[in-house]
């Protein structure tokens, strides 16, 4: 009796678990068999992340082109979807048919796990030549040879400067020039409170994430072995020191107070649009927000400054883009593919969308389209995008975890001054990132 | 217990005796105590109500004024409520109602017989069953969430509220516990009389015992309703944006509405309002239910 | 009907059961002689018990028993809902290297150690106060109880706003009297105290069972003490406290178990205070500010339903199971002590 009970329990567990897992792997197959053909009458669900009114409308306009072409397919669009929501729906087995994500860092996870379907067979069948996309764009939409996404417009980052607040200074080209000018342009009130910040280096300032700023120091995000590289690449330490030097010049507490009251990123209260900061690194879409929300603002754009040793690389920057794909488990995969293909490759649609969103078009043909109607300041971003020195952050099997961890470290430990020894802290960070990667099976 | 010689009455005890004939000093002291306790109670009550009051005042402010730290609205924007009570909010509200109403009905149907059996039948394993009920009631839901999610995903029910509603068809440990605690206090004689009249056990339960247990049933139903209404963790795990109930929607409200505090507060207040109304209407059932056990809520 | 009475009623009933005064259906024939009929009646009785219990028996097996065993099984695997792989003790080993898990556990223990005693003391204080009120007792009781019913998400959103420096009215008030105000939900040092404050505001549940217990203390004990000349404190110390101590213990143990599950308020406070989070294109880290509101159940949620490390999430679930079980056993013991104590 004594021996049988545990054995029976073990058998029961095994049976239950087996029953489950075999059913699970069978259930989520996610290939194109079985679903309706693209020509059939059907409704597809499309999720994207845009939320501002002009963005939502722009996407609708682009979709209308598809609706005309495929009257049999009803497209239901839902905006403002985060990656968490997308991932949850896919893993839970009830995904939409098409998803778009801003968080290109998660592509590795999407491709590796199979959450987004491999598109190569469909590309071949439809005869789409990948060379219609610029090389860098081709790269960030695939992971280790798996192509599970296509690019839907791209983002490039540059330096915005408020001409009035610049007081006649030219935009800085190196990071030391940026720091010096930031101090010069900062205005404080009588109590020492910041009224205008020249440049707010903190990672808590919207787009000043390590991902965007450390790029200026030429960091190599992952080692050749795919492991974290923070302690091995001195550029990270250089970035950290630069960041903290300038932040401490403001005073950490005062900088925090300033950021807490400075307004919202995607709203009319954006501090750059309100003249509360003289310079800021931001994406090309800001041109559109300024057009809509602060049309009177006199501003210029320039490529982001680079670290002094990399002066030759000036002109390049950081690029990423929105990615679009078909989730595993989509019930209308054929129609979904038609949708993805149209939106990501049709020049007219891309130009419509780029004009509405103020984004960089992601095919070569759309990039040189005469129909592009973008503000004068936009040229900078097209140049950054095309620059050979422009880089992106590589994907990893657990998404952008290494970026999240770095951001967390800088925000919680480095900026408040809790980590005195960057070398040791970065080593610990490397270990942490690698362990998490191992747990995820990377 | 060795007690001392001081001659002072408890403020609360011995209500029957009036203050007449007491020495003056004692009366003064009693007045002081009376004044003191009520002053403390009033101060506390103000503090307890202040957050709700601030919510209300902020909800009717203009967007700019909410950022000023002002306490009193300079102009009253009643339209804020109408503005939030559309689109997403109405859908969330519908989902919340679906979850709470169905959940409560399902719980009652399934839990009452179980509680009845535990309270009135004598059988082997009864004690074990009761201990298991308490255990299931106490252990955090997070312990079993992963395998359950996997099962529901297999049935393609993730993304809906059904994984939270359907299990209530199989009894809720807390409700069983609470009902059982009440049912054991009903004297046996009533049921016996019914049985003599030839009623079956089920009929006895429905016709004789349940009407007597109405206060407990009301309490249990209210708790279940509020549990579902307030539940955040469950929908967070299972629901998709179009099946979100209010609790999850409200938590994302601020980010989605670009930090317009007045609208956020108006929306939040609208989730609180039904709770307050029901509470004021059914206060007695509530207090009774809580005192019946004092766990969960 | 009070909490105490509910517990003791169970004991009363049980003792009566032991005396064996015929249960339902147990007619005189069931005992001797007519064994065949007796057996059939017994079987029928058993079936009836089964029928009444069946919803819960099925539910318990499906929604508790099975998942618990499955949790153990999955804890030895790497599973992202697509691919399953047996990885032995890898997940368990990772637990010991996972700083975030330990950090989250420390946060949860902080909340247990601080909020549970504070809530019990505050609840008792208010209960005592209510018993001393001569006028408006019912109104005050409702006022003190009401915040507990406010949905936790709404309460948290409201608290973050009310305590928000710069915009919140509380800082405005504090400024008027010249009190310095911390930056509650934006400072790692103050976010947990902020949550504790929220817990004190919603003290209603503890308050009401303690109030019931205090009112349940037999009046004659107070009268006797009064004749002996005991003062207020002495009556509280020597009569109230010993009488209600089982209810106090009950409130404390259930408080611990509830706080171990502390999720909603911490998560919502972090999200709302961070403000930026939950926008497409941003990767959020739970526990804002600085991981200070990251509780253990939140970490479990993050690993399971954001990272989809289902196997590891199961390990975290088992840790929770262990701790919660420990306190549940304490509670069960207490329960037995209650019902047995009534006999003596």
């Amino acid at each position: 009796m004594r021996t049988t009970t545990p054995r029976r329990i073990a058998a029961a567990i095994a049976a239950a678990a087996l029953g489950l897992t075999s059913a699970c792997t069978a259930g989520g197959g996610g290939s194109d068999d079985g679903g309706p053909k693209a020509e059939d009458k059907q409704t597809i669900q499309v999720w994207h992340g845009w939320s501002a009114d002009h963005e939502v409308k722009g996407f609708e306009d682009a979709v209308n082109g598809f609706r005309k072409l495929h009257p049999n397919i009803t497209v239901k669009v839902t905006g403002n979807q985060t990656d968490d929501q997308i991932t949850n729906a896919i893993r839970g087995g009830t995904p939409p048919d098409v998803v778009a994500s801003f968080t290109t860092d998660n592509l590795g996870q999407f491709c590796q796990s199979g959450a987004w379907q491999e598109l190569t067979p469909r590309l071949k069948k439809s005869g789409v030549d990948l060379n219609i996309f610029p090389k860098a764009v081709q790269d960030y939409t695939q992971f280790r040879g798996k192509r599970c996404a296509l690019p839907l417009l791209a983002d490039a980052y540059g330096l915005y400067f408020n001409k009035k607040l610049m007081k006649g200074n030219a935009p800085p080209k190196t990071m030391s020039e940026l720091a010096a000018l930031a101090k010069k342009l900062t205005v404080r009130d009588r109590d020492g409170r910041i009224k205008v910040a020249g440049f707010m280096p903190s990672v808590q300032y919207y787009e000043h994430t390590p991902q965007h700023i450390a790029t200026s120091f030429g960091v190599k995000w992952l080692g050749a072995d795919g492991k974290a590289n923070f302690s091995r690449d001195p550029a990270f330490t250089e970035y950290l020191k630069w960041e903290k030097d300038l932040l401490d010049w403001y005073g950490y507490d005062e900088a925090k107070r300033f950021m807490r009251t400075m307004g919202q990123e995607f709203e009319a209260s954006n501090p750059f649009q309100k003249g509360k900061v003289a310079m800021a690194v931001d994406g090309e879409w800001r041109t559109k927000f300024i057009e809509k929300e602060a049309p009177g603002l006199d501003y210029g754009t320039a490529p982001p400054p680079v670290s002094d040793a990399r002066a030759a690389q000036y002109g390049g920057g950081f690029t990423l883009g929105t990615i679009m794909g078909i989730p595993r488990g989509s019930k209308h995969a054929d129609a979904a593919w038609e949708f993805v293909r149209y939106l990501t490759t049709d020049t007219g649609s891309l130009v419509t969308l780029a004009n509405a969103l103020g984004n960089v078009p992601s095919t070569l043909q759309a990039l040189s389209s005469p129909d592009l109607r973008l503000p004068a300041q936009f040229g900078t971003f097209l140049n950054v995008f095309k620059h050979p020195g422009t880089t992106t952050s590589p994907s990893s099997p657990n998404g952008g975890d290494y970026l999240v961890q770095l951001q967390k470290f800088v925000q919680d430990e480095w900026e408040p001054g809790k980590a005195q020894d960057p070398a040791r802290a970065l080593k610990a960070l490397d270990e942490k990132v690698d362990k998490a990667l191992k747990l995820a099976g990377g | 217990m060795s007690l001392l010689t001081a001659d002072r009455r408890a403020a609360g005890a011995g209500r029957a005796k009036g203050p007449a004939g007491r020495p003056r000093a004692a009366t003064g002291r009693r007045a002081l105590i009376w004044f003191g306790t009520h002053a403390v109670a009033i101060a506390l009550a103000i503090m307890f109500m202040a957050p709700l009051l601030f919510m209300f005042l902020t909800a009717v402010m203009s967007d700019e004024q909410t950022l000023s730290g002002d306490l009193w609205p300079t102009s009253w924007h009643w339209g804020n409520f109408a503005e939030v009570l559309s689109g997403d909010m109405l859908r969330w509200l519908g989902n919340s109602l679906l979850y709470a109403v169905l959940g409560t009905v399902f719980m009652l149907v399934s839990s009452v017989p179980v509680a009845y059996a535990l309270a009135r039948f004598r059988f082997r394993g009864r004690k074990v069953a009761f201990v298991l009920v308490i255990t299931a009631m106490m252990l955090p839901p997070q312990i079993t969430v992963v395998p359950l999610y996997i099962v529901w995903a297999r049935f393609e029910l993730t993304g809906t509220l059904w994984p939270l509603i359907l299990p209530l068809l199989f009894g809720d440990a807390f409700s069983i516990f609470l009902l059982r605690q009440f049912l054991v206090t009903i004297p046996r004689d009533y049921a016996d009389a019914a049985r003599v009249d030839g009623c079956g056990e089920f009929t006895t339960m429905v016709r004789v015992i349940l009407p007597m247990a109405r206060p407990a049933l009301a309490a249990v139903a209210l708790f279940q309703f509020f549990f579902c209404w307030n539940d955040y963790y469950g929908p967070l795990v299972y629901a998709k944006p179009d099946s979100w109930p209010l609790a999850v929607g409200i938590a994302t409200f601020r980010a989605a509405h670009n930090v317009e505090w007045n609208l956020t507060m108006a929306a939040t207040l609208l989730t609180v309002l039904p709770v307050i109304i029901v509470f004021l209407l059914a206060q007695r059932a509530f207090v009774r239910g809580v005192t019946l056990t004092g766990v969960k809520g | 009907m009070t909490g105490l009475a509910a517990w003791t009623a169970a004991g009363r009933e049980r003792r009566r059961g032991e005396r064996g005064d015929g249960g339902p259906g147990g007619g005189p024939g069931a005992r001797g002689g007519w064994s065949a009929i007796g057996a059939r009646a017994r079987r029928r009785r058993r079936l009836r018990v089964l029928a009444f219990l069946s919803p819960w028996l099925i539910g318990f097996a499906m929604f508790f028993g099975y998942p618990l065993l499955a949790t153990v099984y999955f804890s030895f695997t790497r599973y992202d809902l697509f691919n399953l792989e047996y990885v032995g003790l890898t997940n368990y080993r990772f637990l010991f290297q996972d700083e975030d898990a330990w950090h989250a556990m420390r946060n949860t223990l902080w909340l247990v150690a601080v909020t549970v005693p504070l809530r019990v003391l505050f609840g008792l204080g208010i209960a005592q106060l209510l018993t001393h009120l001569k006028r408006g007792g019912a109104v005050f009781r409702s006022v003190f109880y009401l915040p507990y019913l406010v949905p936790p998400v709404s309460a948290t959103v409201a608290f973050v706003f009310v305590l928000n420096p710069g915009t919140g009215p509380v800082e405005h008030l504090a400024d008027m009297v010249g009190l310095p105000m911390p930056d509650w939900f934006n400072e790692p040092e103050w976010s947990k105290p902020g949550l504790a404050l929220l817990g004190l505001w919603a003290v209603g549940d503890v308050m009401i069972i303690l109030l019931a217990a205090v009112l349940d203390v037999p009046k004659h004990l107070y009268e006797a003490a009064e004749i002996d000349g005991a003062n207020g404190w002495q009556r509280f110390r020597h009569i109230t406290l010993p009488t209600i101590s089982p209810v106090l213990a009950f409130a404390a143990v259930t408080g611990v178990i509830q706080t171990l599950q502390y999720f909603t308020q911490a998560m919502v406070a972090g999200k709302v205070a961070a403000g930026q989070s939950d926008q497409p294109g941003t990767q959020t880290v739970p526990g804002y500010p600085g991981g200070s509101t990251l509780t253990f159940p939140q970490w479990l949620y993050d690993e399971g339903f954001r990272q989809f490390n289902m196997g590891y999430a199961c390990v975290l679930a088992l840790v929770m199971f262990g701790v919660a079980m420990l306190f549940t056993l304490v509670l069960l013991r207490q329960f037995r002590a209650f019902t047995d104590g009534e006999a003596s």
Side-chain angles (χ1 to χ4, degrees), chain A residues 30-64:
Chain A
S31 66
D32 51 336
D33 42 26
K37 296 268 170 293
E39 305 80 49
D40 298 347
K41 198 164 168 56
Q42 58 197 305
T43 302
I44 58 170
Q45 300 273 345
V46 178
W47 284 11
H48 66 75
W50 286 289
S51 57
D53 291 343
H54 71 268
E55 295 175 327
V56 172
K57 192 183 165 297
F59 193 84
E60 253 334 290
D61 289 345
V63 173
N64 282 336

Short mmCIF file of all heavy atoms in Angstrom, two decimals, chain A residues 30-64:
data_model
loop_
_atom_site.label_atom_id
_atom_site.label_comp_id
_atom_site.label_asym_id
_atom_site.label_seq_id
_atom_site.Cartn_x
_atom_site.Cartn_y
_atom_site.Cartn_z
N GLY A 30 -1.27 26.60 -36.11
CA GLY A 30 -1.03 27.89 -36.73
C GLY A 30 -0.45 27.89 -38.14
O GLY A 30 0.33 28.76 -38.47
N SER A 31 -0.75 26.97 -38.98
CA SER A 31 -0.33 27.09 -40.37
C SER A 31 -1.55 27.50 -41.18
O SER A 31 -2.63 27.75 -40.65
CB SER A 31 0.24 25.77 -40.87
OG SER A 31 -0.77 24.80 -40.91
N ASP A 32 -1.35 27.58 -42.51
CA ASP A 32 -2.42 28.17 -43.29
C ASP A 32 -3.48 27.16 -43.72
O ASP A 32 -4.38 27.51 -44.46
CB ASP A 32 -1.82 28.87 -44.51
CG ASP A 32 -0.89 27.96 -45.27
OD1 ASP A 32 -0.35 27.00 -44.64
OD2 ASP A 32 -0.69 28.16 -46.45
N ASP A 33 -3.36 25.92 -43.27
CA ASP A 33 -4.35 24.96 -43.73
C ASP A 33 -5.67 25.14 -42.98
O ASP A 33 -5.70 25.47 -41.81
CB ASP A 33 -3.85 23.52 -43.58
CG ASP A 33 -3.13 23.30 -42.28
OD1 ASP A 33 -3.44 24.05 -41.32
OD2 ASP A 33 -2.29 22.43 -42.20
N GLY A 34 -6.74 24.91 -43.69
CA GLY A 34 -8.03 24.92 -43.01
C GLY A 34 -8.78 26.22 -43.08
O GLY A 34 -9.98 26.21 -43.28
N GLY A 35 -8.10 27.35 -42.94
CA GLY A 35 -8.79 28.63 -42.91
C GLY A 35 -9.38 28.97 -44.27
O GLY A 35 -9.09 28.31 -45.28
N PRO A 36 -10.24 29.98 -44.30
CA PRO A 36 -10.83 30.38 -45.57
C PRO A 36 -9.78 30.95 -46.52
O PRO A 36 -8.74 31.46 -46.08
CB PRO A 36 -11.84 31.45 -45.17
CG PRO A 36 -11.40 31.92 -43.84
CD PRO A 36 -10.70 30.78 -43.18
N LYS A 37 -10.03 30.86 -47.79
CA LYS A 37 -9.13 31.44 -48.80
C LYS A 37 -9.27 32.96 -48.78
O LYS A 37 -10.27 33.49 -48.33
CB LYS A 37 -9.50 30.90 -50.19
CG LYS A 37 -9.31 29.40 -50.33
CD LYS A 37 -7.93 29.09 -50.87
CE LYS A 37 -7.61 27.60 -50.80
NZ LYS A 37 -7.50 27.09 -49.43
N ALA A 38 -8.25 33.61 -49.36
CA ALA A 38 -8.24 35.07 -49.34
C ALA A 38 -9.44 35.66 -50.07
O ALA A 38 -9.87 36.77 -49.78
CB ALA A 38 -6.94 35.60 -49.93
N GLU A 39 -9.99 34.88 -51.04
CA GLU A 39 -11.09 35.43 -51.84
C GLU A 39 -12.43 35.29 -51.12
O GLU A 39 -13.42 35.89 -51.53
CB GLU A 39 -11.20 34.72 -53.20
CG GLU A 39 -9.92 34.71 -54.03
CD GLU A 39 -8.96 33.62 -53.55
OE1 GLU A 39 -9.38 32.47 -53.38
OE2 GLU A 39 -7.78 33.96 -53.31
N ASP A 40 -12.48 34.46 -50.07
CA ASP A 40 -13.75 34.23 -49.39
C ASP A 40 -14.18 35.48 -48.61
O ASP A 40 -13.36 36.32 -48.26
CB ASP A 40 -13.65 33.05 -48.42
CG ASP A 40 -13.32 31.77 -49.17
OD1 ASP A 40 -13.44 31.78 -50.42
OD2 ASP A 40 -12.93 30.78 -48.53
N LYS A 41 -15.48 35.49 -48.36
CA LYS A 41 -16.01 36.59 -47.55
C LYS A 41 -15.63 36.34 -46.09
O LYS A 41 -15.90 35.26 -45.56
CB LYS A 41 -17.52 36.64 -47.72
CG LYS A 41 -18.11 37.98 -47.27
CD LYS A 41 -19.51 38.16 -47.80
CE LYS A 41 -20.20 39.33 -47.13
NZ LYS A 41 -19.46 40.59 -47.26
N GLN A 42 -15.03 37.29 -45.45
CA GLN A 42 -14.60 37.07 -44.07
C GLN A 42 -14.25 38.40 -43.39
O GLN A 42 -14.16 39.44 -44.04
CB GLN A 42 -13.36 36.17 -44.06
CG GLN A 42 -12.21 36.74 -44.87
CD GLN A 42 -11.18 35.69 -45.19
OE1 GLN A 42 -10.66 35.04 -44.31
NE2 GLN A 42 -10.89 35.51 -46.47
N THR A 43 -14.06 38.29 -42.09
CA THR A 43 -13.67 39.47 -41.32
C THR A 43 -12.32 39.20 -40.67
O THR A 43 -12.14 38.15 -40.06
CB THR A 43 -14.70 39.76 -40.22
OG1 THR A 43 -15.97 39.95 -40.85
CG2 THR A 43 -14.33 40.99 -39.43
N ILE A 44 -11.38 40.12 -40.82
CA ILE A 44 -10.11 39.94 -40.12
C ILE A 44 -9.95 41.03 -39.06
O ILE A 44 -10.43 42.15 -39.21
CB ILE A 44 -8.89 39.95 -41.08
CG1 ILE A 44 -8.81 41.26 -41.88
CG2 ILE A 44 -8.91 38.75 -42.01
CD1 ILE A 44 -7.50 41.40 -42.64
N GLN A 45 -9.28 40.61 -37.99
CA GLN A 45 -9.01 41.52 -36.86
C GLN A 45 -7.59 42.02 -36.99
O GLN A 45 -6.67 41.24 -37.14
CB GLN A 45 -9.13 40.74 -35.55
CG GLN A 45 -10.48 40.12 -35.30
CD GLN A 45 -11.42 41.09 -34.62
OE1 GLN A 45 -10.99 42.11 -34.10
NE2 GLN A 45 -12.70 40.76 -34.65
N VAL A 46 -7.42 43.34 -36.92
CA VAL A 46 -6.09 43.93 -37.00
C VAL A 46 -5.83 44.74 -35.75
O VAL A 46 -6.64 45.57 -35.36
CB VAL A 46 -5.96 44.82 -38.25
CG1 VAL A 46 -4.58 45.46 -38.30
CG2 VAL A 46 -6.24 44.03 -39.51
N TRP A 47 -4.68 44.48 -35.11
CA TRP A 47 -4.31 45.24 -33.91
C TRP A 47 -3.07 46.07 -34.20
O TRP A 47 -2.09 45.56 -34.74
CB TRP A 47 -3.98 44.29 -32.74
CG TRP A 47 -5.17 43.69 -32.10
CD1 TRP A 47 -6.46 43.72 -32.54
CD2 TRP A 47 -5.17 42.94 -30.88
NE1 TRP A 47 -7.27 43.05 -31.66
CE2 TRP A 47 -6.50 42.56 -30.64
CE3 TRP A 47 -4.19 42.57 -29.96
CZ2 TRP A 47 -6.87 41.80 -29.52
CZ3 TRP A 47 -4.54 41.82 -28.85
CH2 TRP A 47 -5.89 41.44 -28.63
N HIS A 48 -3.11 47.34 -33.82
CA HIS A 48 -1.90 48.15 -33.91
C HIS A 48 -1.77 49.00 -32.67
O HIS A 48 -2.66 49.00 -31.81
CB HIS A 48 -1.92 49.01 -35.19
CG HIS A 48 -2.99 50.07 -35.19
ND1 HIS A 48 -2.89 51.22 -34.46
CD2 HIS A 48 -4.17 50.15 -35.86
CE1 HIS A 48 -3.95 51.96 -34.66
NE2 HIS A 48 -4.76 51.33 -35.49
N GLY A 49 -0.66 49.72 -32.57
CA GLY A 49 -0.38 50.42 -31.32
C GLY A 49 -0.60 51.91 -31.35
O GLY A 49 -0.46 52.58 -30.34
N TRP A 50 -0.96 52.46 -32.52
CA TRP A 50 -1.10 53.91 -32.58
C TRP A 50 -2.32 54.36 -31.79
O TRP A 50 -3.34 53.65 -31.76
CB TRP A 50 -1.20 54.37 -34.03
CG TRP A 50 0.11 54.30 -34.73
CD1 TRP A 50 1.19 55.11 -34.51
CD2 TRP A 50 0.51 53.36 -35.73
NE1 TRP A 50 2.24 54.73 -35.33
CE2 TRP A 50 1.85 53.66 -36.08
CE3 TRP A 50 -0.12 52.29 -36.36
CZ2 TRP A 50 2.55 52.93 -37.03
CZ3 TRP A 50 0.58 51.56 -37.31
CH2 TRP A 50 1.91 51.88 -37.65
N SER A 51 -2.21 55.55 -31.21
CA SER A 51 -3.31 56.00 -30.36
C SER A 51 -3.71 57.45 -30.62
O SER A 51 -4.86 57.81 -30.42
CB SER A 51 -2.94 55.82 -28.89
OG SER A 51 -1.76 56.54 -28.61
N ALA A 52 -2.77 58.29 -31.05
CA ALA A 52 -3.14 59.70 -31.28
C ALA A 52 -4.14 59.78 -32.43
O ALA A 52 -4.11 58.95 -33.34
CB ALA A 52 -1.90 60.53 -31.58
N ASP A 53 -4.99 60.78 -32.38
CA ASP A 53 -6.08 60.88 -33.37
C ASP A 53 -5.57 60.87 -34.80
O ASP A 53 -6.09 60.15 -35.65
CB ASP A 53 -6.89 62.16 -33.12
CG ASP A 53 -7.70 62.08 -31.83
OD1 ASP A 53 -7.86 60.94 -31.35
OD2 ASP A 53 -8.12 63.12 -31.32
N HIS A 54 -4.52 61.68 -35.06
CA HIS A 54 -4.06 61.75 -36.45
C HIS A 54 -3.44 60.43 -36.89
O HIS A 54 -3.46 60.07 -38.06
CB HIS A 54 -3.09 62.93 -36.64
CG HIS A 54 -1.75 62.76 -36.00
ND1 HIS A 54 -1.46 63.19 -34.73
CD2 HIS A 54 -0.61 62.20 -36.46
CE1 HIS A 54 -0.20 62.91 -34.44
NE2 HIS A 54 0.34 62.30 -35.47
N GLU A 55 -2.90 59.67 -35.92
CA GLU A 55 -2.30 58.39 -36.26
C GLU A 55 -3.37 57.35 -36.59
O GLU A 55 -3.28 56.61 -37.57
CB GLU A 55 -1.45 57.89 -35.09
CG GLU A 55 -0.25 58.75 -34.79
CD GLU A 55 0.50 58.30 -33.54
OE1 GLU A 55 -0.14 57.81 -32.60
OE2 GLU A 55 1.73 58.45 -33.53
N VAL A 56 -4.39 57.32 -35.74
CA VAL A 56 -5.47 56.36 -35.95
C VAL A 56 -6.14 56.60 -37.30
O VAL A 56 -6.42 55.68 -38.06
CB VAL A 56 -6.50 56.45 -34.80
CG1 VAL A 56 -7.72 55.60 -35.09
CG2 VAL A 56 -5.86 56.03 -33.48
N LYS A 57 -6.34 57.90 -37.61
CA LYS A 57 -6.98 58.25 -38.86
C LYS A 57 -6.09 57.86 -40.04
O LYS A 57 -6.56 57.32 -41.05
CB LYS A 57 -7.29 59.74 -38.88
CG LYS A 57 -8.22 60.12 -40.03
CD LYS A 57 -8.49 61.60 -40.10
CE LYS A 57 -9.10 61.94 -41.44
NZ LYS A 57 -8.20 61.65 -42.57
N GLY A 58 -4.80 58.12 -39.91
CA GLY A 58 -3.86 57.78 -40.98
C GLY A 58 -3.89 56.29 -41.28
O GLY A 58 -3.90 55.86 -42.44
N PHE A 59 -3.94 55.49 -40.24
CA PHE A 59 -3.97 54.03 -40.44
C PHE A 59 -5.28 53.64 -41.12
O PHE A 59 -5.28 52.82 -42.04
CB PHE A 59 -3.83 53.33 -39.09
CG PHE A 59 -3.54 51.86 -39.22
CD1 PHE A 59 -2.25 51.40 -39.43
CD2 PHE A 59 -4.57 50.93 -39.15
CE1 PHE A 59 -1.98 50.05 -39.56
CE2 PHE A 59 -4.31 49.57 -39.29
CZ PHE A 59 -3.02 49.13 -39.49
N GLU A 60 -6.36 54.22 -40.70
CA GLU A 60 -7.67 53.95 -41.32
C GLU A 60 -7.61 54.25 -42.82
O GLU A 60 -8.10 53.49 -43.65
CB GLU A 60 -8.73 54.83 -40.69
CG GLU A 60 -9.76 54.23 -39.74
CD GLU A 60 -10.11 52.77 -39.86
OE1 GLU A 60 -10.77 52.42 -40.85
OE2 GLU A 60 -9.78 51.99 -38.96
N ASP A 61 -6.99 55.40 -43.17
CA ASP A 61 -6.90 55.79 -44.57
C ASP A 61 -6.14 54.74 -45.37
O ASP A 61 -6.54 54.38 -46.49
CB ASP A 61 -6.21 57.15 -44.71
CG ASP A 61 -7.09 58.28 -44.20
OD1 ASP A 61 -8.31 58.03 -44.03
OD2 ASP A 61 -6.58 59.39 -43.98
N ALA A 62 -5.03 54.27 -44.80
CA ALA A 62 -4.25 53.26 -45.51
C ALA A 62 -5.07 51.98 -45.67
O ALA A 62 -5.04 51.33 -46.72
CB ALA A 62 -2.95 52.97 -44.76
N VAL A 63 -5.82 51.62 -44.62
CA VAL A 63 -6.64 50.41 -44.68
C VAL A 63 -7.75 50.54 -45.72
O VAL A 63 -8.09 49.57 -46.40
CB VAL A 63 -7.24 50.10 -43.29
CG1 VAL A 63 -8.23 48.94 -43.37
CG2 VAL A 63 -6.14 49.76 -42.30
N ASN A 64 -8.25 51.75 -45.89
CA ASN A 64 -9.31 51.94 -46.89
C ASN A 64 -8.85 51.56 -48.28
O ASN A 64 -9.64 51.04 -49.08
CB ASN A 64 -9.79 53.40 -46.87
CG ASN A 64 -10.72 53.64 -45.69
OD1 ASN A 64 -11.34 52.69 -45.19
ND2 ASN A 64 -10.82 54.87 -45.24
#
